[in-house]
mmCIF file of all heavy atoms in Angstrom:
data_model
loop_
_atom_site.group_PDB
_atom_site.id
_atom_site.type_symbol
_atom_site.label_atom_id
_atom_site.label_comp_id
_atom_site.label_asym_id
_atom_site.label_seq_id
_atom_site.Cartn_x
_atom_site.Cartn_y
_atom_site.Cartn_z
ATOM 1 N N SER A 1 103.018 113.698 54.492
ATOM 2 C CA SER A 1 101.661 114.196 54.263
ATOM 3 C C SER A 1 100.663 113.059 54.379
ATOM 4 O O SER A 1 101.032 111.874 54.395
ATOM 5 C CB SER A 1 101.541 114.852 52.883
ATOM 6 O OG SER A 1 101.702 113.874 51.874
ATOM 7 N N LEU A 2 99.390 113.388 54.427
ATOM 8 C CA LEU A 2 98.359 112.365 54.467
ATOM 9 C C LEU A 2 98.314 111.588 53.162
ATOM 10 O O LEU A 2 98.025 110.386 53.153
ATOM 11 C CB LEU A 2 96.999 113.011 54.745
ATOM 12 C CG LEU A 2 96.857 113.710 56.112
ATOM 13 C CD1 LEU A 2 95.463 114.296 56.259
ATOM 14 C CD2 LEU A 2 97.154 112.757 57.250
ATOM 15 N N THR A 3 98.623 112.262 52.047
ATOM 16 C CA THR A 3 98.690 111.569 50.759
ATOM 17 C C THR A 3 99.834 110.562 50.759
ATOM 18 O O THR A 3 99.694 109.427 50.306
ATOM 19 C CB THR A 3 98.882 112.576 49.618
ATOM 20 O OG1 THR A 3 97.821 113.531 49.655
ATOM 21 C CG2 THR A 3 98.885 111.872 48.265
ATOM 22 N N GLY A 4 100.985 110.989 51.293
ATOM 23 C CA GLY A 4 102.117 110.076 51.394
ATOM 24 C C GLY A 4 101.819 108.911 52.316
ATOM 25 O O GLY A 4 102.253 107.784 52.073
ATOM 26 N N PHE A 5 101.052 109.177 53.374
ATOM 27 C CA PHE A 5 100.659 108.124 54.302
ATOM 28 C C PHE A 5 99.799 107.082 53.587
ATOM 29 O O PHE A 5 99.983 105.867 53.771
ATOM 30 C CB PHE A 5 99.901 108.757 55.468
ATOM 31 C CG PHE A 5 99.299 107.763 56.429
ATOM 32 C CD1 PHE A 5 100.120 106.986 57.242
ATOM 33 C CD2 PHE A 5 97.929 107.608 56.514
ATOM 34 C CE1 PHE A 5 99.568 106.075 58.132
ATOM 35 C CE2 PHE A 5 97.374 106.704 57.406
ATOM 36 C CZ PHE A 5 98.196 105.931 58.212
ATOM 37 N N ALA A 6 98.869 107.543 52.740
ATOM 38 C CA ALA A 6 98.021 106.617 51.974
ATOM 39 C C ALA A 6 98.860 105.802 50.990
ATOM 40 O O ALA A 6 98.644 104.596 50.821
ATOM 41 C CB ALA A 6 96.933 107.395 51.237
ATOM 42 N N ASP A 7 99.817 106.440 50.328
ATOM 43 C CA ASP A 7 100.702 105.723 49.403
ATOM 44 C C ASP A 7 101.534 104.673 50.134
ATOM 45 O O ASP A 7 101.796 103.593 49.601
ATOM 46 C CB ASP A 7 101.632 106.710 48.687
ATOM 47 C CG ASP A 7 100.886 107.610 47.721
ATOM 48 O OD1 ASP A 7 99.766 107.225 47.317
ATOM 49 O OD2 ASP A 7 101.409 108.688 47.377
ATOM 50 N N TRP A 8 101.965 105.006 51.352
ATOM 51 C CA TRP A 8 102.764 104.067 52.155
ATOM 52 C C TRP A 8 101.971 102.803 52.453
ATOM 53 O O TRP A 8 102.477 101.698 52.362
ATOM 54 C CB TRP A 8 103.176 104.756 53.455
ATOM 55 C CG TRP A 8 104.075 103.952 54.338
ATOM 56 C CD1 TRP A 8 105.434 103.861 54.283
ATOM 57 C CD2 TRP A 8 103.669 103.124 55.438
ATOM 58 N NE1 TRP A 8 105.908 103.040 55.275
ATOM 59 C CE2 TRP A 8 104.850 102.567 56.000
ATOM 60 C CE3 TRP A 8 102.438 102.800 56.006
ATOM 61 C CZ2 TRP A 8 104.825 101.708 57.095
ATOM 62 C CZ3 TRP A 8 102.397 101.939 57.093
ATOM 63 C CH2 TRP A 8 103.585 101.413 57.622
ATOM 64 N N ILE A 9 100.683 102.967 52.772
ATOM 65 C CA ILE A 9 99.844 101.812 53.095
ATOM 66 C C ILE A 9 99.623 100.951 51.853
ATOM 67 O O ILE A 9 99.738 99.725 51.897
ATOM 68 C CB ILE A 9 98.500 102.307 53.653
ATOM 69 C CG1 ILE A 9 98.753 103.022 54.954
ATOM 70 C CG2 ILE A 9 97.515 101.164 53.784
ATOM 71 C CD1 ILE A 9 97.950 102.772 56.097
ATOM 72 N N THR A 10 99.293 101.597 50.713
ATOM 73 C CA THR A 10 98.998 100.829 49.498
ATOM 74 C C THR A 10 100.242 100.155 48.934
ATOM 75 O O THR A 10 100.130 99.159 48.210
ATOM 76 C CB THR A 10 98.401 101.750 48.426
ATOM 77 O OG1 THR A 10 99.299 102.856 48.186
ATOM 78 C CG2 THR A 10 97.053 102.308 48.873
ATOM 79 N N SER A 11 101.432 100.660 49.247
ATOM 80 C CA SER A 11 102.666 100.063 48.734
ATOM 81 C C SER A 11 102.902 98.661 49.274
ATOM 82 O O SER A 11 103.622 97.871 48.658
ATOM 83 C CB SER A 11 103.869 100.944 49.073
ATOM 84 O OG SER A 11 103.811 102.173 48.388
ATOM 85 N N PHE A 12 102.303 98.332 50.423
ATOM 86 C CA PHE A 12 102.470 96.991 50.967
ATOM 87 C C PHE A 12 101.833 95.935 50.068
ATOM 88 O O PHE A 12 102.209 94.769 50.117
ATOM 89 C CB PHE A 12 101.861 96.896 52.373
ATOM 90 C CG PHE A 12 102.778 97.386 53.452
ATOM 91 C CD1 PHE A 12 102.593 98.636 54.016
ATOM 92 C CD2 PHE A 12 103.828 96.609 53.899
ATOM 93 C CE1 PHE A 12 103.436 99.092 55.022
ATOM 94 C CE2 PHE A 12 104.677 97.051 54.898
ATOM 95 C CZ PHE A 12 104.484 98.309 55.455
ATOM 96 N N GLY A 13 100.875 96.334 49.246
ATOM 97 C CA GLY A 13 100.217 95.366 48.363
ATOM 98 C C GLY A 13 100.919 95.161 47.038
ATOM 99 O O GLY A 13 100.508 94.310 46.244
ATOM 100 N N ARG A 14 101.970 95.921 46.779
ATOM 101 C CA ARG A 14 102.702 95.793 45.521
ATOM 102 C C ARG A 14 103.838 94.791 45.663
ATOM 103 O O ARG A 14 104.387 94.602 46.740
ATOM 104 C CB ARG A 14 103.252 97.149 45.087
ATOM 105 C CG ARG A 14 102.176 98.219 44.912
ATOM 106 C CD ARG A 14 102.806 99.581 44.717
ATOM 107 N NE ARG A 14 101.799 100.646 44.769
ATOM 108 C CZ ARG A 14 102.079 101.932 44.900
ATOM 109 N NH1 ARG A 14 103.338 102.323 45.004
ATOM 110 N NH2 ARG A 14 101.114 102.824 44.930
ATOM 111 N N SER A 15 104.194 94.163 44.574
ATOM 112 C CA SER A 15 105.276 93.168 44.597
ATOM 113 C C SER A 15 106.498 93.698 43.862
ATOM 114 O O SER A 15 106.383 94.368 42.840
ATOM 115 C CB SER A 15 104.812 91.864 43.939
ATOM 116 O OG SER A 15 104.437 92.095 42.591
ATOM 117 N N TYR A 16 107.684 93.409 44.431
ATOM 118 C CA TYR A 16 108.950 93.808 43.838
ATOM 119 C C TYR A 16 109.885 92.596 43.796
ATOM 120 O O TYR A 16 109.733 91.643 44.567
ATOM 121 C CB TYR A 16 109.604 94.942 44.651
ATOM 122 C CG TYR A 16 108.831 96.232 44.639
ATOM 123 C CD1 TYR A 16 107.870 96.497 45.604
ATOM 124 C CD2 TYR A 16 109.059 97.189 43.651
ATOM 125 C CE1 TYR A 16 107.158 97.687 45.601
ATOM 126 C CE2 TYR A 16 108.346 98.387 43.642
ATOM 127 C CZ TYR A 16 107.399 98.624 44.618
ATOM 128 O OH TYR A 16 106.689 99.793 44.611
ATOM 129 N N ASP A 17 110.860 92.666 42.925
ATOM 130 C CA ASP A 17 111.831 91.573 42.809
ATOM 131 C C ASP A 17 112.920 91.654 43.875
ATOM 132 O O ASP A 17 113.759 90.774 43.971
ATOM 133 C CB ASP A 17 112.489 91.577 41.418
ATOM 134 C CG ASP A 17 111.478 91.298 40.322
ATOM 135 O OD1 ASP A 17 110.486 90.595 40.612
ATOM 136 O OD2 ASP A 17 111.680 91.790 39.192
ATOM 137 N N PHE A 18 112.906 92.726 44.674
ATOM 138 C CA PHE A 18 113.932 92.907 45.695
ATOM 139 C C PHE A 18 113.273 93.426 46.969
ATOM 140 O O PHE A 18 112.221 94.060 46.934
ATOM 141 C CB PHE A 18 115.011 93.886 45.215
ATOM 142 C CG PHE A 18 114.463 95.098 44.527
ATOM 143 C CD1 PHE A 18 114.129 96.230 45.241
ATOM 144 C CD2 PHE A 18 114.246 95.105 43.143
ATOM 145 C CE1 PHE A 18 113.615 97.352 44.620
ATOM 146 C CE2 PHE A 18 113.728 96.231 42.516
ATOM 147 C CZ PHE A 18 113.412 97.354 43.245
ATOM 148 N N LEU A 19 113.894 93.146 48.120
ATOM 149 C CA LEU A 19 113.341 93.546 49.412
ATOM 150 C C LEU A 19 113.738 94.952 49.810
ATOM 151 O O LEU A 19 113.060 95.597 50.604
ATOM 152 C CB LEU A 19 113.794 92.564 50.502
ATOM 153 C CG LEU A 19 113.230 91.153 50.408
ATOM 154 C CD1 LEU A 19 113.834 90.264 51.484
ATOM 155 C CD2 LEU A 19 111.714 91.150 50.509
ATOM 156 N N ILE A 20 114.855 95.455 49.304
ATOM 157 C CA ILE A 20 115.367 96.770 49.659
ATOM 158 C C ILE A 20 115.908 97.442 48.407
ATOM 159 O O ILE A 20 116.488 96.782 47.530
ATOM 160 C CB ILE A 20 116.469 96.646 50.739
ATOM 161 C CG1 ILE A 20 116.877 98.023 51.270
ATOM 162 C CG2 ILE A 20 117.668 95.878 50.227
ATOM 163 C CD1 ILE A 20 117.810 97.951 52.466
ATOM 164 N N SER A 21 115.707 98.741 48.290
ATOM 165 C CA SER A 21 116.163 99.456 47.099
ATOM 166 C C SER A 21 117.675 99.661 47.136
ATOM 167 O O SER A 21 118.295 99.690 48.212
ATOM 168 C CB SER A 21 115.469 100.813 47.000
ATOM 169 O OG SER A 21 115.854 101.655 48.067
ATOM 170 N N TYR A 22 118.255 99.825 45.954
ATOM 171 C CA TYR A 22 119.708 100.008 45.873
ATOM 172 C C TYR A 22 120.135 101.308 46.550
ATOM 173 O O TYR A 22 121.162 101.362 47.220
ATOM 174 C CB TYR A 22 120.154 100.020 44.412
ATOM 175 C CG TYR A 22 121.618 100.371 44.249
ATOM 176 C CD1 TYR A 22 122.610 99.423 44.496
ATOM 177 C CD2 TYR A 22 122.005 101.665 43.875
ATOM 178 C CE1 TYR A 22 123.954 99.752 44.363
ATOM 179 C CE2 TYR A 22 123.343 101.997 43.745
ATOM 180 C CZ TYR A 22 124.310 101.039 44.000
ATOM 181 O OH TYR A 22 125.636 101.361 43.877
ATOM 182 N N SER A 23 119.342 102.378 46.381
ATOM 183 C CA SER A 23 119.707 103.675 46.965
ATOM 184 C C SER A 23 119.760 103.593 48.492
ATOM 185 O O SER A 23 120.656 104.157 49.127
ATOM 186 C CB SER A 23 118.715 104.756 46.530
ATOM 187 O OG SER A 23 117.393 104.407 46.919
ATOM 188 N N LEU A 24 118.812 102.855 49.110
ATOM 189 C CA LEU A 24 118.825 102.713 50.567
ATOM 190 C C LEU A 24 120.003 101.855 51.004
ATOM 191 O O LEU A 24 120.671 102.164 52.010
ATOM 192 C CB LEU A 24 117.519 102.090 51.044
ATOM 193 C CG LEU A 24 117.425 101.810 52.555
ATOM 194 C CD1 LEU A 24 117.689 103.070 53.354
ATOM 195 C CD2 LEU A 24 116.066 101.218 52.910
ATOM 196 N N TRP A 25 120.282 100.771 50.263
ATOM 197 C CA TRP A 25 121.417 99.916 50.608
ATOM 198 C C TRP A 25 122.729 100.696 50.527
ATOM 199 O O TRP A 25 123.601 100.561 51.392
ATOM 200 C CB TRP A 25 121.463 98.707 49.684
ATOM 201 C CG TRP A 25 122.627 97.798 49.932
ATOM 202 C CD1 TRP A 25 123.783 97.709 49.228
ATOM 203 C CD2 TRP A 25 122.749 96.863 51.009
ATOM 204 N NE1 TRP A 25 124.631 96.791 49.769
ATOM 205 C CE2 TRP A 25 124.010 96.236 50.872
ATOM 206 C CE3 TRP A 25 121.919 96.475 52.062
ATOM 207 C CZ2 TRP A 25 124.460 95.265 51.752
ATOM 208 C CZ3 TRP A 25 122.363 95.500 52.933
ATOM 209 C CH2 TRP A 25 123.616 94.910 52.782
ATOM 210 N N ASP A 26 122.852 101.532 49.510
ATOM 211 C CA ASP A 26 124.060 102.337 49.345
ATOM 212 C C ASP A 26 124.211 103.341 50.482
ATOM 213 O O ASP A 26 125.301 103.534 51.020
ATOM 214 C CB ASP A 26 124.006 103.060 47.997
ATOM 215 C CG ASP A 26 125.263 103.888 47.732
ATOM 216 O OD1 ASP A 26 126.371 103.316 47.763
ATOM 217 O OD2 ASP A 26 125.127 105.106 47.519
ATOM 218 N N GLU A 27 123.091 103.957 50.887
ATOM 219 C CA GLU A 27 123.134 104.929 51.984
ATOM 220 C C GLU A 27 123.426 104.235 53.316
ATOM 221 O O GLU A 27 124.150 104.767 54.161
ATOM 222 C CB GLU A 27 121.808 105.683 52.065
ATOM 223 C CG GLU A 27 121.827 106.942 52.904
ATOM 224 C CD GLU A 27 122.740 108.014 52.343
ATOM 225 O OE1 GLU A 27 122.612 108.328 51.152
ATOM 226 O OE2 GLU A 27 123.587 108.519 53.116
ATOM 227 N N LEU A 28 122.866 103.038 53.502
ATOM 228 C CA LEU A 28 123.126 102.278 54.715
ATOM 229 C C LEU A 28 124.592 101.872 54.834
ATOM 230 O O LEU A 28 125.165 101.895 55.929
ATOM 231 C CB LEU A 28 122.250 101.022 54.754
ATOM 232 C CG LEU A 28 120.894 101.126 55.451
ATOM 233 C CD1 LEU A 28 120.088 99.852 55.254
ATOM 234 C CD2 LEU A 28 121.065 101.436 56.924
ATOM 235 N N SER A 29 125.201 101.512 53.701
ATOM 236 C CA SER A 29 126.608 101.107 53.728
ATOM 237 C C SER A 29 127.518 102.254 54.142
ATOM 238 O O SER A 29 128.609 102.036 54.675
ATOM 239 C CB SER A 29 127.025 100.573 52.351
ATOM 240 O OG SER A 29 126.951 101.593 51.371
ATOM 241 N N ARG A 30 127.068 103.491 53.924
ATOM 242 C CA ARG A 30 127.869 104.648 54.302
ATOM 243 C C ARG A 30 127.475 105.219 55.661
ATOM 244 O O ARG A 30 128.302 105.858 56.327
ATOM 245 C CB ARG A 30 127.714 105.762 53.249
ATOM 246 C CG ARG A 30 128.352 105.435 51.904
ATOM 247 C CD ARG A 30 128.176 106.577 50.923
ATOM 248 N NE ARG A 30 126.771 106.761 50.569
ATOM 249 C CZ ARG A 30 126.320 107.761 49.820
ATOM 250 N NH1 ARG A 30 127.149 108.691 49.384
ATOM 251 N NH2 ARG A 30 125.048 107.840 49.530
ATOM 252 N N GLY A 31 126.231 104.998 56.085
ATOM 253 C CA GLY A 31 125.763 105.654 57.307
ATOM 254 C C GLY A 31 125.445 104.742 58.473
ATOM 255 O O GLY A 31 124.849 105.199 59.458
ATOM 256 N N TRP A 32 125.857 103.464 58.410
ATOM 257 C CA TRP A 32 125.504 102.542 59.493
ATOM 258 C C TRP A 32 126.174 102.923 60.813
ATOM 259 O O TRP A 32 125.612 102.689 61.887
ATOM 260 C CB TRP A 32 125.862 101.102 59.109
ATOM 261 C CG TRP A 32 127.332 100.841 58.933
ATOM 262 C CD1 TRP A 32 128.051 100.982 57.785
ATOM 263 C CD2 TRP A 32 128.255 100.411 59.941
ATOM 264 N NE1 TRP A 32 129.366 100.667 57.996
ATOM 265 C CE2 TRP A 32 129.523 100.303 59.316
ATOM 266 C CE3 TRP A 32 128.147 100.097 61.290
ATOM 267 C CZ2 TRP A 32 130.663 99.923 60.003
ATOM 268 C CZ3 TRP A 32 129.276 99.715 61.982
ATOM 269 C CH2 TRP A 32 130.524 99.612 61.343
ATOM 270 N N VAL A 33 127.367 103.529 60.738
ATOM 271 C CA VAL A 33 128.048 103.950 61.964
ATOM 272 C C VAL A 33 127.234 105.034 62.679
ATOM 273 O O VAL A 33 127.042 104.994 63.903
ATOM 274 C CB VAL A 33 129.471 104.459 61.653
ATOM 275 C CG1 VAL A 33 130.113 105.009 62.920
ATOM 276 C CG2 VAL A 33 130.315 103.346 61.070
ATOM 277 N N TYR A 34 126.746 106.011 61.916
ATOM 278 C CA TYR A 34 125.939 107.082 62.498
ATOM 279 C C TYR A 34 124.636 106.535 63.065
ATOM 280 O O TYR A 34 124.128 107.041 64.075
ATOM 281 C CB TYR A 34 125.648 108.155 61.456
ATOM 282 C CG TYR A 34 126.881 108.742 60.831
ATOM 283 C CD1 TYR A 34 127.206 108.474 59.508
ATOM 284 C CD2 TYR A 34 127.739 109.549 61.559
ATOM 285 C CE1 TYR A 34 128.350 109.013 58.928
ATOM 286 C CE2 TYR A 34 128.881 110.089 61.000
ATOM 287 C CZ TYR A 34 129.179 109.803 59.677
ATOM 288 O OH TYR A 34 130.310 110.323 59.117
ATOM 289 N N LEU A 35 124.095 105.507 62.418
ATOM 290 C CA LEU A 35 122.870 104.879 62.907
ATOM 291 C C LEU A 35 123.105 104.241 64.272
ATOM 292 O O LEU A 35 122.293 104.404 65.193
ATOM 293 C CB LEU A 35 122.384 103.835 61.900
ATOM 294 C CG LEU A 35 121.105 103.078 62.267
ATOM 295 C CD1 LEU A 35 119.933 104.037 62.413
ATOM 296 C CD2 LEU A 35 120.804 102.023 61.206
ATOM 297 N N LEU A 36 124.215 103.536 64.426
ATOM 298 C CA LEU A 36 124.540 102.918 65.714
ATOM 299 C C LEU A 36 124.764 103.978 66.796
ATOM 300 O O LEU A 36 124.327 103.820 67.938
ATOM 301 C CB LEU A 36 125.786 102.036 65.569
ATOM 302 C CG LEU A 36 125.631 100.766 64.726
ATOM 303 C CD1 LEU A 36 126.959 100.018 64.650
ATOM 304 C CD2 LEU A 36 124.547 99.860 65.304
ATOM 305 N N ILE A 37 125.451 105.068 66.425
ATOM 306 C CA ILE A 37 125.671 106.155 67.385
ATOM 307 C C ILE A 37 124.337 106.761 67.825
ATOM 308 O O ILE A 37 124.129 107.067 69.004
ATOM 309 C CB ILE A 37 126.576 107.244 66.766
ATOM 310 C CG1 ILE A 37 127.986 106.681 66.527
ATOM 311 C CG2 ILE A 37 126.642 108.470 67.658
ATOM 312 C CD1 ILE A 37 128.903 107.619 65.783
ATOM 313 N N SER A 38 123.420 106.917 66.885
ATOM 314 C CA SER A 38 122.110 107.483 67.191
ATOM 315 C C SER A 38 121.328 106.593 68.145
ATOM 316 O O SER A 38 120.677 107.073 69.084
ATOM 317 C CB SER A 38 121.309 107.694 65.898
ATOM 318 O OG SER A 38 121.978 108.569 65.026
ATOM 319 N N ILE A 39 121.384 105.281 67.898
ATOM 320 C CA ILE A 39 120.675 104.342 68.775
ATOM 321 C C ILE A 39 121.240 104.411 70.191
ATOM 322 O O ILE A 39 120.504 104.401 71.181
ATOM 323 C CB ILE A 39 120.764 102.913 68.208
ATOM 324 C CG1 ILE A 39 119.988 102.828 66.890
ATOM 325 C CG2 ILE A 39 120.223 101.902 69.210
ATOM 326 C CD1 ILE A 39 120.137 101.512 66.165
ATOM 327 N N PHE A 40 122.562 104.506 70.294
ATOM 328 C CA PHE A 40 123.185 104.644 71.615
ATOM 329 C C PHE A 40 122.748 105.942 72.275
ATOM 330 O O PHE A 40 122.461 105.977 73.480
ATOM 331 C CB PHE A 40 124.707 104.612 71.474
ATOM 332 C CG PHE A 40 125.435 104.991 72.737
ATOM 333 C CD1 PHE A 40 125.601 104.076 73.776
ATOM 334 C CD2 PHE A 40 125.947 106.275 72.906
ATOM 335 C CE1 PHE A 40 126.256 104.429 74.955
ATOM 336 C CE2 PHE A 40 126.608 106.638 74.077
ATOM 337 C CZ PHE A 40 126.760 105.712 75.097
ATOM 338 N N TYR A 41 122.661 107.019 71.504
ATOM 339 C CA TYR A 41 122.343 108.341 72.053
ATOM 340 C C TYR A 41 120.957 108.392 72.661
ATOM 341 O O TYR A 41 120.735 109.051 73.695
ATOM 342 C CB TYR A 41 122.469 109.394 70.953
ATOM 343 C CG TYR A 41 122.273 110.810 71.438
ATOM 344 C CD1 TYR A 41 123.249 111.458 72.181
ATOM 345 C CD2 TYR A 41 121.099 111.506 71.149
ATOM 346 C CE1 TYR A 41 123.073 112.754 72.635
ATOM 347 C CE2 TYR A 41 120.913 112.800 71.591
ATOM 348 C CZ TYR A 41 121.905 113.428 72.333
ATOM 349 O OH TYR A 41 121.713 114.705 72.777
ATOM 350 N N ILE A 42 119.990 107.706 72.054
ATOM 351 C CA ILE A 42 118.616 107.771 72.559
ATOM 352 C C ILE A 42 118.286 106.621 73.508
ATOM 353 O O ILE A 42 117.183 106.576 74.051
ATOM 354 C CB ILE A 42 117.596 107.789 71.398
ATOM 355 C CG1 ILE A 42 117.632 106.448 70.642
ATOM 356 C CG2 ILE A 42 117.827 108.959 70.482
ATOM 357 C CD1 ILE A 42 116.569 106.331 69.565
#
């Protein structure tokens, strides 16, 4: 949404103690194979 788009922009100005969230890292560890297949497909 446009509201989500505005939140995405303002989030760049916030500071965190980590570069990537645990939930994304966990999902990446399980789905990296599908990601590579997708890149090959397109």
Side-chain angles (χ1 to χ4, degrees):
S1 67
L2 296 180
T3 303
F5 174 69
D7 291 339
W8 184 86
I9 295 226
T10 55
S11 293
F12 277 102
R14 302 170 189 166
S15 60
Y16 295 90
D17 296 331
F18 43 89
L19 292 176
I20 188 172
S21 66
Y22 173 78
S23 58
L24 177 55
W25 178 259
D26 182 56
E27 195 64 51
L28 268 173
S29 64
R30 291 181 294 174
W32 65 271
V33 175
Y34 304 110
L35 180 61
L36 292 179
I37 294 174
S38 300
I39 293 173
F40 170 80
Y41 185 74
I42 66 175

